[in-house]
Amino acid sequence: MKTQPQGASASAEGAVLGTRERVVRAASRLFQRRGYEGTGIKLIAQEAEATLGSVYHFFPGGKEELAVAAIQHADREFAEMLNAGLARSDDPAVAVEECARALASALRESDWADGCPVTATALETLGRTPSIQQACLEALRNWQDVLAAKFLASGFDGQEARELACTVLSALEGAEVTSQVFRSEEPLLTTGRRMAQLIDSRT
Amino acid sequence: MKTQPQGASASAEGAVLGTRERVVRAASRLFQRRGYEGTGIKLIAQEAEATLGSVYHFFPGGKEELAVAAIQHADREFAEMLNAGLARSDDPAVAVEECARALASALRESDWADGCPVTATALETLGRTPSIQQACLEALRNWQDVLAAKFLASGFDGQEARELACTVLSALEGAEVTSQVFRSEEPLLTTGRRMAQLIDSRT
DNA sequence: TACTTGGTAGAGCGATCGTTCTAAAGACTG
DNA sequence: CAGTCTTTAGAACGATCGCTCTACCAAGTA
């Protein structure tokens, strides 16, 4: 295994990823699929094709620091997905339904494994690992902001936009869990349709 | 520690609980708060004031069998809470908002620790422990049925009632996670209000 | 009394956990 | 070339994991 200079743009398309980036991505996906406690550092290293030494070199804070980085990575990734979905229509109701559809497809394609990338970790560490809880909080707030911006741009006032964003995000998160447990796209699709109905029923 | 005959009605008010019941309740609460992987059998025994021997006497299938029993217990408990909340009003919209309020209060009173009793365990064991996943599925379906019955009794047709139940349950679950992460009742209360709005906007 | 049954008690097993540590191999600078 | 810094490599540590096992105690029955 040769030393990999992590030079060049880390986000360049198709670029060979540096060790640190590979570790973060592996950690992010494993935490998403098996939770924080259920994922061992050695498994992360193995999955990332790195060694334990490398992991602790880049994350001297250990598992906790790695989890924070993994959640921040998931934050950016999911925000991009949200933005892409929302951009598919000017009508916010249609756009939200489009997002639900995209989530449902991705979920099915991963055999119901890749749900919300922070929920599992958040629930396990709540009230016991402040740094991780903080990272989860920032991710949720970021996604709410993305939704709220869409609603604002569609003519909703600030209060209304924030409340709708909070509701829609919570509903999508819950529906994702439900879809995973039922191994069916239906909860996500139904929730998407009803959220569209809610958005259209503005007072 | 004396032998405790688990005779008499196990659900009798104020009755001294048998060992098995104590273990199930402790397991249920611990899985709810720290997830499946994050909860050790020894901790469960300690919390239940039982010994390892007793735990494996009642649950020879080990942690997995205990988890199934714990989830079934949580299922019944949460269904009761839902029923109680829904019974507080004939108007289904008001009733749902009442449920959200009750959940928010309970969450705050537990210092944001006691969220949905199955989500954490469900996410950690998805696709890897079928018996637990099945128990989670039955709980979610049970809760959806409770909601759907309320909507049916309020004049919605079957399809509409089922879809609303699915949406409302998902939204409440997601909002509960959001409230826990933000340490605020607001997401649950907002989602409750918006769900009421959705229910009132019947076509 | 002797025997059976249902439950309690906890030492100890092998495996795995997160983490630490030493050693050495690239890559870059002078 | 020598010297420095970054990164890789993985053995090993103490702690904890889920679980097994034997011994024992308290009733009920004959």
mmCIF file of all heavy atoms in Angstrom, chain D residues 12-30:
data_model
loop_
_atom_site.group_PDB
_atom_site.id
_atom_site.type_symbol
_atom_site.label_atom_id
_atom_site.label_comp_id
_atom_site.label_asym_id
_atom_site.label_seq_id
_atom_site.Cartn_x
_atom_site.Cartn_y
_atom_site.Cartn_z
ATOM 1 P P DA D 12 2.747 -9.278 19.812
ATOM 2 O OP1 DA D 12 4.082 -9.610 20.366
ATOM 3 O OP2 DA D 12 1.800 -10.341 19.429
ATOM 4 O "O5'" DA D 12 2.018 -8.315 20.836
ATOM 5 C "C5'" DA D 12 2.700 -7.150 21.297
ATOM 6 C "C4'" DA D 12 1.760 -6.341 22.157
ATOM 7 O "O4'" DA D 12 0.811 -5.664 21.305
ATOM 8 C "C3'" DA D 12 0.927 -7.164 23.157
ATOM 9 O "O3'" DA D 12 1.132 -6.652 24.451
ATOM 10 C "C2'" DA D 12 -0.506 -6.968 22.695
ATOM 11 C "C1'" DA D 12 -0.425 -5.636 21.975
ATOM 12 N N9 DA D 12 -1.463 -5.399 20.979
ATOM 13 C C8 DA D 12 -1.864 -6.238 19.974
ATOM 14 N N7 DA D 12 -2.836 -5.748 19.232
ATOM 15 C C5 DA D 12 -3.083 -4.503 19.793
ATOM 16 C C6 DA D 12 -3.992 -3.485 19.471
ATOM 17 N N6 DA D 12 -4.866 -3.557 18.465
ATOM 18 N N1 DA D 12 -3.980 -2.363 20.235
ATOM 19 C C2 DA D 12 -3.108 -2.296 21.247
ATOM 20 N N3 DA D 12 -2.208 -3.184 21.650
ATOM 21 C C4 DA D 12 -2.250 -4.275 20.868
ATOM 22 P P DC D 13 0.637 -7.384 25.742
ATOM 23 O OP1 DC D 13 1.822 -7.691 26.565
ATOM 24 O OP2 DC D 13 -0.280 -8.476 25.342
ATOM 25 O "O5'" DC D 13 -0.206 -6.267 26.471
ATOM 26 C "C5'" DC D 13 0.235 -4.890 26.425
ATOM 27 C "C4'" DC D 13 -0.888 -4.012 26.941
ATOM 28 O "O4'" DC D 13 -1.724 -3.611 25.839
ATOM 29 C "C3'" DC D 13 -1.780 -4.716 27.944
ATOM 30 O "O3'" DC D 13 -1.859 -3.999 29.155
ATOM 31 C "C2'" DC D 13 -3.137 -4.821 27.263
ATOM 32 C "C1'" DC D 13 -3.076 -3.756 26.183
ATOM 33 N N1 DC D 13 -3.823 -4.171 24.965
ATOM 34 C C2 DC D 13 -4.802 -3.338 24.419
ATOM 35 O O2 DC D 13 -5.026 -2.244 24.953
ATOM 36 N N3 DC D 13 -5.483 -3.735 23.327
ATOM 37 C C4 DC D 13 -5.216 -4.928 22.783
ATOM 38 N N4 DC D 13 -5.904 -5.292 21.701
ATOM 39 C C5 DC D 13 -4.222 -5.790 23.325
ATOM 40 C C6 DC D 13 -3.563 -5.383 24.409
ATOM 41 P P DG D 14 -2.209 -4.888 30.445
ATOM 42 O OP1 DG D 14 -1.263 -4.528 31.517
ATOM 43 O OP2 DG D 14 -2.426 -6.300 30.065
ATOM 44 O "O5'" DG D 14 -3.631 -4.252 30.788
ATOM 45 C "C5'" DG D 14 -3.746 -2.834 30.914
ATOM 46 C "C4'" DG D 14 -5.187 -2.433 30.685
ATOM 47 O "O4'" DG D 14 -5.590 -2.813 29.348
ATOM 48 C "C3'" DG D 14 -6.192 -3.097 31.636
ATOM 49 O "O3'" DG D 14 -7.112 -2.099 32.055
ATOM 50 C "C2'" DG D 14 -6.845 -4.181 30.774
ATOM 51 C "C1'" DG D 14 -6.825 -3.512 29.408
ATOM 52 N N9 DG D 14 -6.866 -4.440 28.279
ATOM 53 C C8 DG D 14 -6.157 -5.611 28.128
ATOM 54 N N7 DG D 14 -6.402 -6.222 26.992
ATOM 55 C C5 DG D 14 -7.330 -5.409 26.361
ATOM 56 C C6 DG D 14 -7.964 -5.545 25.103
ATOM 57 O O6 DG D 14 -7.839 -6.449 24.266
ATOM 58 N N1 DG D 14 -8.837 -4.485 24.855
ATOM 59 C C2 DG D 14 -9.063 -3.437 25.703
ATOM 60 N N2 DG D 14 -9.931 -2.520 25.289
ATOM 61 N N3 DG D 14 -8.474 -3.298 26.874
ATOM 62 C C4 DG D 14 -7.620 -4.308 27.136
ATOM 63 P P DA D 15 -8.212 -2.450 33.139
ATOM 64 O OP1 DA D 15 -8.206 -1.340 34.105
ATOM 65 O OP2 DA D 15 -8.028 -3.858 33.588
ATOM 66 O "O5'" DA D 15 -9.560 -2.375 32.300
ATOM 67 C "C5'" DA D 15 -9.761 -1.261 31.435
ATOM 68 C "C4'" DA D 15 -10.983 -1.500 30.575
ATOM 69 O "O4'" DA D 15 -10.656 -2.424 29.512
ATOM 70 C "C3'" DA D 15 -12.178 -2.099 31.325
ATOM 71 O "O3'" DA D 15 -13.315 -1.284 31.101
ATOM 72 C "C2'" DA D 15 -12.329 -3.501 30.732
ATOM 73 C "C1'" DA D 15 -11.685 -3.371 29.362
ATOM 74 N N9 DA D 15 -11.066 -4.605 28.875
ATOM 75 C C8 DA D 15 -10.133 -5.362 29.514
ATOM 76 N N7 DA D 15 -9.750 -6.418 28.833
ATOM 77 C C5 DA D 15 -10.492 -6.344 27.661
ATOM 78 C C6 DA D 15 -10.540 -7.167 26.513
ATOM 79 N N6 DA D 15 -9.809 -8.272 26.374
ATOM 80 N N1 DA D 15 -11.385 -6.804 25.522
ATOM 81 C C2 DA D 15 -12.122 -5.690 25.669
ATOM 82 N N3 DA D 15 -12.157 -4.838 26.695
ATOM 83 C C4 DA D 15 -11.299 -5.227 27.669
ATOM 84 P P DT D 16 -14.642 -1.524 31.937
ATOM 85 O OP1 DT D 16 -15.241 -0.198 32.180
ATOM 86 O OP2 DT D 16 -14.371 -2.469 33.041
ATOM 87 O "O5'" DT D 16 -15.561 -2.273 30.872
ATOM 88 C "C5'" DT D 16 -15.708 -1.724 29.568
ATOM 89 C "C4'" DT D 16 -16.230 -2.785 28.625
ATOM 90 O "O4'" DT D 16 -15.226 -3.801 28.452
ATOM 91 C "C3'" DT D 16 -17.478 -3.522 29.138
ATOM 92 O "O3'" DT D 16 -18.559 -3.191 28.283
ATOM 93 C "C2'" DT D 16 -17.102 -4.997 29.064
ATOM 94 C "C1'" DT D 16 -15.901 -4.992 28.126
ATOM 95 N N1 DT D 16 -14.951 -6.116 28.314
ATOM 96 C C2 DT D 16 -14.779 -7.019 27.296
ATOM 97 O O2 DT D 16 -15.376 -6.944 26.232
ATOM 98 N N3 DT D 16 -13.861 -8.013 27.556
ATOM 99 C C4 DT D 16 -13.137 -8.197 28.720
ATOM 100 O O4 DT D 16 -12.346 -9.128 28.833
ATOM 101 C C5 DT D 16 -13.372 -7.217 29.757
ATOM 102 C C7 DT D 16 -12.631 -7.312 31.065
ATOM 103 C C6 DT D 16 -14.256 -6.237 29.502
ATOM 104 P P DC D 17 -20.038 -3.739 28.592
ATOM 105 O OP1 DC D 17 -20.925 -2.609 28.321
ATOM 106 O OP2 DC D 17 -20.048 -4.428 29.899
ATOM 107 O "O5'" DC D 17 -20.261 -4.844 27.456
ATOM 108 C "C5'" DC D 17 -20.012 -4.487 26.093
ATOM 109 C "C4'" DC D 17 -19.985 -5.732 25.236
ATOM 110 O "O4'" DC D 17 -18.735 -6.419 25.433
ATOM 111 C "C3'" DC D 17 -21.045 -6.751 25.606
ATOM 112 O "O3'" DC D 17 -22.216 -6.480 24.883
ATOM 113 C "C2'" DC D 17 -20.420 -8.068 25.157
ATOM 114 C "C1'" DC D 17 -18.913 -7.806 25.238
ATOM 115 N N1 DC D 17 -18.206 -8.490 26.348
ATOM 116 C C2 DC D 17 -17.576 -9.719 26.131
ATOM 117 O O2 DC D 17 -17.654 -10.228 25.013
ATOM 118 N N3 DC D 17 -16.913 -10.312 27.151
ATOM 119 C C4 DC D 17 -16.870 -9.715 28.341
ATOM 120 N N4 DC D 17 -16.194 -10.332 29.320
ATOM 121 C C5 DC D 17 -17.507 -8.463 28.598
ATOM 122 C C6 DC D 17 -18.166 -7.893 27.584
ATOM 123 P P DG D 18 -23.593 -7.076 25.474
ATOM 124 O OP1 DG D 18 -24.678 -6.313 24.821
ATOM 125 O OP2 DG D 18 -23.485 -7.100 26.935
ATOM 126 O "O5'" DG D 18 -23.622 -8.574 24.955
ATOM 127 C "C5'" DG D 18 -23.476 -8.865 23.577
ATOM 128 C "C4'" DG D 18 -23.340 -10.356 23.388
ATOM 129 O "O4'" DG D 18 -22.160 -10.804 24.103
ATOM 130 C "C3'" DG D 18 -24.507 -11.175 23.938
ATOM 131 O "O3'" DG D 18 -24.790 -12.255 23.047
ATOM 132 C "C2'" DG D 18 -23.990 -11.650 25.287
ATOM 133 C "C1'" DG D 18 -22.501 -11.815 25.024
ATOM 134 N N9 DG D 18 -21.684 -11.637 26.222
ATOM 135 C C8 DG D 18 -21.783 -10.628 27.144
ATOM 136 N N7 DG D 18 -20.930 -10.727 28.128
ATOM 137 C C5 DG D 18 -20.206 -11.876 27.839
ATOM 138 C C6 DG D 18 -19.145 -12.496 28.551
ATOM 139 O O6 DG D 18 -18.619 -12.146 29.601
ATOM 140 N N1 DG D 18 -18.706 -13.649 27.902
ATOM 141 C C2 DG D 18 -19.212 -14.133 26.728
ATOM 142 N N2 DG D 18 -18.666 -15.263 26.255
ATOM 143 N N3 DG D 18 -20.206 -13.567 26.054
ATOM 144 C C4 DG D 18 -20.655 -12.444 26.667
ATOM 145 P P DC D 19 -25.997 -13.255 23.367
ATOM 146 O OP1 DC D 19 -26.445 -13.840 22.091
ATOM 147 O OP2 DC D 19 -26.958 -12.562 24.233
ATOM 148 O "O5'" DC D 19 -25.278 -14.418 24.192
ATOM 149 C "C5'" DC D 19 -24.097 -15.018 23.663
ATOM 150 C "C4'" DC D 19 -23.477 -15.942 24.677
ATOM 151 O "O4'" DC D 19 -22.885 -15.193 25.750
ATOM 152 C "C3'" DC D 19 -24.449 -16.921 25.359
ATOM 153 O "O3'" DC D 19 -24.225 -18.217 24.812
ATOM 154 C "C2'" DC D 19 -24.098 -16.845 26.854
ATOM 155 C "C1'" DC D 19 -22.799 -16.051 26.861
ATOM 156 N N1 DC D 19 -22.581 -15.200 28.068
ATOM 157 C C2 DC D 19 -21.559 -15.527 28.972
ATOM 158 O O2 DC D 19 -20.864 -16.526 28.754
ATOM 159 N N3 DC D 19 -21.363 -14.749 30.067
ATOM 160 C C4 DC D 19 -22.138 -13.683 30.271
ATOM 161 N N4 DC D 19 -21.898 -12.934 31.360
ATOM 162 C C5 DC D 19 -23.185 -13.325 29.368
ATOM 163 C C6 DC D 19 -23.372 -14.111 28.280
ATOM 164 P P DT D 20 -25.055 -19.460 25.335
ATOM 165 O OP1 DT D 20 -25.204 -20.361 24.185
ATOM 166 O OP2 DT D 20 -26.229 -18.965 26.069
ATOM 167 O "O5'" DT D 20 -24.069 -20.159 26.382
ATOM 168 C "C5'" DT D 20 -22.708 -20.371 26.012
ATOM 169 C "C4'" DT D 20 -21.963 -21.046 27.157
ATOM 170 O "O4'" DT D 20 -21.718 -20.086 28.208
ATOM 171 C "C3'" DT D 20 -22.715 -22.224 27.801
ATOM 172 O "O3'" DT D 20 -21.819 -23.314 27.899
ATOM 173 C "C2'" DT D 20 -23.125 -21.683 29.172
ATOM 174 C "C1'" DT D 20 -22.027 -20.668 29.459
ATOM 175 N N1 DT D 20 -22.408 -19.548 30.353
ATOM 176 C C2 DT D 20 -21.644 -19.289 31.474
ATOM 177 O O2 DT D 20 -20.673 -19.939 31.785
ATOM 178 N N3 DT D 20 -22.079 -18.208 32.218
ATOM 179 C C4 DT D 20 -23.165 -17.396 31.955
ATOM 180 O O4 DT D 20 -23.449 -16.461 32.705
ATOM 181 C C5 DT D 20 -23.917 -17.727 30.778
ATOM 182 C C7 DT D 20 -25.105 -16.909 30.402
ATOM 183 C C6 DT D 20 -23.506 -18.776 30.028
ATOM 184 P P DC D 21 -22.351 -24.776 28.282
ATOM 185 O OP1 DC D 21 -21.569 -25.739 27.493
ATOM 186 O OP2 DC D 21 -23.832 -24.780 28.211
ATOM 187 O "O5'" DC D 21 -21.942 -24.914 29.813
ATOM 188 C "C5'" DC D 21 -20.645 -24.502 30.228
ATOM 189 C "C4'" DC D 21 -20.599 -24.347 31.738
ATOM 190 O "O4'" DC D 21 -21.106 -23.051 32.085
ATOM 191 C "C3'" DC D 21 -21.482 -25.357 32.483
ATOM 192 O "O3'" DC D 21 -20.643 -26.369 33.018
ATOM 193 C "C2'" DC D 21 -22.148 -24.546 33.600
ATOM 194 C "C1'" DC D 21 -21.669 -23.118 33.384
ATOM 195 N N1 DC D 21 -22.751 -22.101 33.431
ATOM 196 C C2 DC D 21 -22.709 -21.098 34.401
ATOM 197 O O2 DC D 21 -21.774 -21.070 35.203
ATOM 198 N N3 DC D 21 -23.697 -20.170 34.433
ATOM 199 C C4 DC D 21 -24.698 -20.227 33.547
ATOM 200 N N4 DC D 21 -25.639 -19.296 33.610
ATOM 201 C C5 DC D 21 -24.758 -21.248 32.553
ATOM 202 C C6 DC D 21 -23.778 -22.158 32.533
ATOM 203 P P DT D 22 -21.345 -27.635 33.734
ATOM 204 O OP1 DT D 22 -20.477 -28.790 33.447
ATOM 205 O OP2 DT D 22 -22.788 -27.682 33.399
ATOM 206 O "O5'" DT D 22 -21.222 -27.273 35.277
ATOM 207 C "C5'" DT D 22 -19.997 -26.737 35.787
ATOM 208 C "C4'" DT D 22 -20.209 -26.175 37.177
ATOM 209 O "O4'" DT D 22 -20.983 -24.959 37.094
ATOM 210 C "C3'" DT D 22 -20.967 -27.113 38.127
ATOM 211 O "O3'" DT D 22 -20.291 -27.142 39.380
ATOM 212 C "C2'" DT D 22 -22.355 -26.472 38.257
ATOM 213 C "C1'" DT D 22 -22.030 -24.989 38.043
ATOM 214 N N1 DT D 22 -23.148 -24.182 37.498
ATOM 215 C C2 DT D 22 -23.441 -22.956 38.066
ATOM 216 O O2 DT D 22 -22.822 -22.489 38.999
ATOM 217 N N3 DT D 22 -24.491 -22.294 37.482
ATOM 218 C C4 DT D 22 -25.269 -22.720 36.429
ATOM 219 O O4 DT D 22 -26.185 -22.045 35.993
ATOM 220 C C5 DT D 22 -24.916 -24.018 35.889
ATOM 221 C C7 DT D 22 -25.696 -24.574 34.750
ATOM 222 C C6 DT D 22 -23.883 -24.678 36.440
ATOM 223 P P DA D 23 -20.698 -28.136 40.548
ATOM 224 O OP1 DA D 23 -19.441 -28.698 41.092
ATOM 225 O OP2 DA D 23 -21.768 -29.023 40.046
ATOM 226 O "O5'" DA D 23 -21.324 -27.166 41.630
ATOM 227 C "C5'" DA D 23 -20.626 -25.986 42.017
ATOM 228 C "C4'" DA D 23 -21.548 -25.093 42.825
ATOM 229 O "O4'" DA D 23 -22.478 -24.450 41.931
ATOM 230 C "C3'" DA D 23 -22.390 -25.853 43.861
ATOM 231 O "O3'" DA D 23 -22.183 -25.271 45.137
ATOM 232 C "C2'" DA D 23 -23.828 -25.692 43.379
ATOM 233 C "C1'" DA D 23 -23.754 -24.427 42.544
ATOM 234 N N9 DA D 23 -24.740 -24.349 41.470
ATOM 235 C C8 DA D 23 -24.988 -25.266 40.481
ATOM 236 N N7 DA D 23 -25.951 -24.933 39.657
ATOM 237 C C5 DA D 23 -26.377 -23.700 40.138
ATOM 238 C C6 DA D 23 -27.376 -22.805 39.705
ATOM 239 N N6 DA D 23 -28.143 -23.036 38.645
ATOM 240 N N1 DA D 23 -27.535 -21.668 40.407
ATOM 241 C C2 DA D 23 -26.758 -21.447 41.466
ATOM 242 N N3 DA D 23 -25.776 -22.213 41.974
ATOM 243 C C4 DA D 23 -25.639 -23.328 41.251
ATOM 244 P P DC D 24 -22.822 -25.899 46.440
ATOM 245 O OP1 DC D 24 -21.869 -25.699 47.540
ATOM 246 O OP2 DC D 24 -23.348 -27.250 46.102
ATOM 247 O "O5'" DC D 24 -24.075 -24.940 46.678
ATOM 248 C "C5'" DC D 24 -23.895 -23.525 46.583
ATOM 249 C "C4'" DC D 24 -25.250 -22.858 46.539
ATOM 250 O "O4'" DC D 24 -25.854 -23.071 45.247
ATOM 251 C "C3'" DC D 24 -26.249 -23.394 47.572
ATOM 252 O "O3'" DC D 24 -26.595 -22.346 48.457
ATOM 253 C "C2'" DC D 24 -27.434 -23.888 46.742
ATOM 254 C "C1'" DC D 24 -27.246 -23.145 45.427
ATOM 255 N N1 DC D 24 -27.834 -23.829 44.240
ATOM 256 C C2 DC D 24 -28.852 -23.210 43.517
ATOM 257 O O2 DC D 24 -29.256 -22.097 43.883
ATOM 258 N N3 DC D 24 -29.391 -23.836 42.440
ATOM 259 C C4 DC D 24 -28.933 -25.042 42.086
ATOM 260 N N4 DC D 24 -29.479 -25.617 41.006
ATOM 261 C C5 DC D 24 -27.884 -25.691 42.802
ATOM 262 C C6 DC D 24 -27.374 -25.064 43.857
ATOM 263 P P DC D 25 -27.278 -22.703 49.899
ATOM 264 O OP1 DC D 25 -26.512 -21.997 50.941
ATOM 265 O OP2 DC D 25 -27.512 -24.172 49.991
ATOM 266 O "O5'" DC D 25 -28.706 -22.011 49.774
ATOM 267 C "C5'" DC D 25 -28.802 -20.723 49.177
ATOM 268 C "C4'" DC D 25 -30.226 -20.498 48.678
ATOM 269 O "O4'" DC D 25 -30.434 -21.217 47.441
ATOM 270 C "C3'" DC D 25 -31.313 -20.969 49.639
ATOM 271 O "O3'" DC D 25 -32.202 -19.894 49.870
ATOM 272 C "C2'" DC D 25 -32.000 -22.117 48.898
ATOM 273 C "C1'" DC D 25 -31.745 -21.747 47.445
ATOM 274 N N1 DC D 25 -31.783 -22.867 46.466
ATOM 275 C C2 DC D 25 -32.678 -22.815 45.397
ATOM 276 O O2 DC D 25 -33.442 -21.851 45.292
ATOM 277 N N3 DC D 25 -32.696 -23.828 44.493
ATOM 278 C C4 DC D 25 -31.858 -24.867 44.637
ATOM 279 N N4 DC D 25 -31.897 -25.838 43.716
ATOM 280 C C5 DC D 25 -30.927 -24.929 45.725
ATOM 281 C C6 DC D 25 -30.924 -23.924 46.608
ATOM 282 P P DA D 26 -33.186 -19.901 51.126
ATOM 283 O OP1 DA D 26 -33.183 -18.548 51.726
ATOM 284 O OP2 DA D 26 -32.877 -21.098 51.945
ATOM 285 O "O5'" DA D 26 -34.599 -20.139 50.431
ATOM 286 C "C5'" DA D 26 -35.076 -19.182 49.500
ATOM 287 C "C4'" DA D 26 -36.302 -19.716 48.789
ATOM 288 O "O4'" DA D 26 -35.917 -20.811 47.925
ATOM 289 C "C3'" DA D 26 -37.408 -20.266 49.704
ATOM 290 O "O3'" DA D 26 -38.653 -19.819 49.209
ATOM 291 C "C2'" DA D 26 -37.268 -21.781 49.550
ATOM 292 C "C1'" DA D 26 -36.820 -21.887 48.109
ATOM 293 N N9 DA D 26 -36.083 -23.099 47.768
ATOM 294 C C8 DA D 26 -35.061 -23.679 48.465
ATOM 295 N N7 DA D 26 -34.581 -24.762 47.895
ATOM 296 C C5 DA D 26 -35.336 -24.904 46.751
ATOM 297 C C6 DA D 26 -35.323 -25.858 45.717
ATOM 298 N N6 DA D 26 -34.472 -26.884 45.680
ATOM 299 N N1 DA D 26 -36.224 -25.695 44.716
ATOM 300 C C2 DA D 26 -37.069 -24.662 44.766
ATOM 301 N N3 DA D 26 -37.178 -23.705 45.679
ATOM 302 C C4 DA D 26 -36.264 -23.884 46.662
ATOM 303 P P DA D 27 -39.802 -19.458 50.273
ATOM 304 O OP1 DA D 27 -39.899 -17.993 50.455
ATOM 305 O OP2 DA D 27 -39.627 -20.332 51.462
ATOM 306 O "O5'" DA D 27 -41.093 -19.949 49.486
ATOM 307 C "C5'" DA D 27 -41.487 -21.276 49.677
ATOM 308 C "C4'" DA D 27 -41.798 -21.922 48.350
ATOM 309 O "O4'" DA D 27 -40.639 -22.630 47.900
ATOM 310 C "C3'" DA D 27 -42.920 -22.929 48.526
ATOM 311 O "O3'" DA D 27 -44.040 -22.539 47.764
ATOM 312 C "C2'" DA D 27 -42.332 -24.253 48.065
ATOM 313 C "C1'" DA D 27 -41.020 -23.874 47.380
ATOM 314 N N9 DA D 27 -39.945 -24.804 47.698
ATOM 315 C C8 DA D 27 -39.096 -24.783 48.778
ATOM 316 N N7 DA D 27 -38.198 -25.745 48.768
ATOM 317 C C5 DA D 27 -38.481 -26.444 47.611
ATOM 318 C C6 DA D 27 -37.894 -27.579 47.023
ATOM 319 N N6 DA D 27 -36.852 -28.214 47.572
ATOM 320 N N1 DA D 27 -38.420 -28.023 45.861
ATOM 321 C C2 DA D 27 -39.468 -27.369 45.323
ATOM 322 N N3 DA D 27 -40.099 -26.288 45.780
ATOM 323 C C4 DA D 27 -39.554 -25.876 46.933
ATOM 324 P P DG D 28 -45.447 -23.271 48.175
ATOM 325 O OP1 DG D 28 -46.520 -22.382 47.687
ATOM 326 O OP2 DG D 28 -45.366 -23.652 49.593
ATOM 327 O "O5'" DG D 28 -45.452 -24.617 47.307
ATOM 328 C "C5'" DG D 28 -45.264 -24.525 45.891
ATOM 329 C "C4'" DG D 28 -45.323 -25.913 45.280
ATOM 330 O "O4'" DG D 28 -44.066 -26.603 45.535
ATOM 331 C "C3'" DG D 28 -46.425 -26.807 45.864
ATOM 332 O "O3'" DG D 28 -47.034 -27.540 44.805
ATOM 333 C "C2'" DG D 28 -45.674 -27.729 46.824
ATOM 334 C "C1'" DG D 28 -44.295 -27.834 46.184
ATOM 335 N N9 DG D 28 -43.207 -28.031 47.134
ATOM 336 C C8 DG D 28 -42.973 -27.305 48.294
ATOM 337 N N7 DG D 28 -41.907 -27.700 48.945
ATOM 338 C C5 DG D 28 -41.413 -28.752 48.183
ATOM 339 C C6 DG D 28 -40.273 -29.570 48.393
ATOM 340 O O6 DG D 28 -39.456 -29.535 49.327
ATOM 341 N N1 DG D 28 -40.134 -30.511 47.370
ATOM 342 C C2 DG D 28 -40.973 -30.634 46.300
ATOM 343 N N2 DG D 28 -40.674 -31.586 45.430
ATOM 344 N N3 DG D 28 -42.046 -29.875 46.088
ATOM 345 C C4 DG D 28 -42.202 -28.959 47.069
ATOM 346 P P DT D 29 -48.275 -28.498 45.093
ATOM 347 O OP1 DT D 29 -49.199 -28.410 43.941
ATOM 348 O OP2 DT D 29 -48.772 -28.221 46.476
ATOM 349 O "O5'" DT D 29 -47.593 -29.935 45.113
ATOM 350 C "C5'" DT D 29 -46.739 -30.320 44.029
ATOM 351 C "C4'" DT D 29 -46.266 -31.749 44.228
ATOM 352 O "O4'" DT D 29 -45.112 -31.762 45.113
ATOM 353 C "C3'" DT D 29 -47.301 -32.690 44.849
ATOM 354 O "O3'" DT D 29 -47.344 -33.894 44.105
ATOM 355 C "C2'" DT D 29 -46.785 -32.917 46.268
ATOM 356 C "C1'" DT D 29 -45.269 -32.771 46.079
ATOM 357 N N1 DT D 29 -44.520 -32.320 47.282
ATOM 358 C C2 DT D 29 -43.339 -32.941 47.613
ATOM 359 O O2 DT D 29 -42.879 -33.859 46.982
ATOM 360 N N3 DT D 29 -42.719 -32.438 48.736
ATOM 361 C C4 DT D 29 -43.160 -31.394 49.549
ATOM 362 O O4 DT D 29 -42.516 -31.036 50.534
ATOM 363 C C5 DT D 29 -44.405 -30.793 49.143
ATOM 364 C C7 DT D 29 -44.985 -29.659 49.940
ATOM 365 C C6 DT D 29 -45.035 -31.274 48.031
ATOM 366 P P DA D 30 -48.463 -34.979 44.448
ATOM 367 O OP1 DA D 30 -49.023 -35.422 43.155
ATOM 368 O OP2 DA D 30 -49.357 -34.489 45.523
ATOM 369 O "O5'" DA D 30 -47.580 -36.165 45.046
ATOM 370 C "C5'" DA D 30 -46.401 -36.573 44.347
ATOM 371 C "C4'" DA D 30 -45.622 -37.550 45.230
ATOM 372 O "O4'" DA D 30 -44.922 -36.812 46.254
ATOM 373 C "C3'" DA D 30 -46.507 -38.564 45.935
ATOM 374 O "O3'" DA D 30 -46.110 -39.878 45.571
ATOM 375 C "C2'" DA D 30 -46.283 -38.340 47.428
ATOM 376 C "C1'" DA D 30 -45.028 -37.491 47.482
ATOM 377 N N9 DA D 30 -45.069 -36.452 48.524
ATOM 378 C C8 DA D 30 -46.038 -35.513 48.724
ATOM 379 N N7 DA D 30 -45.804 -34.698 49.725
ATOM 380 C C5 DA D 30 -44.589 -35.135 50.227
ATOM 381 C C6 DA D 30 -43.787 -34.693 51.294
ATOM 382 N N6 DA D 30 -44.125 -33.667 52.073
ATOM 383 N N1 DA D 30 -42.635 -35.342 51.512
ATOM 384 C C2 DA D 30 -42.300 -36.384 50.715
ATOM 385 N N3 DA D 30 -42.974 -36.874 49.684
ATOM 386 C C4 DA D 30 -44.115 -36.204 49.494
#
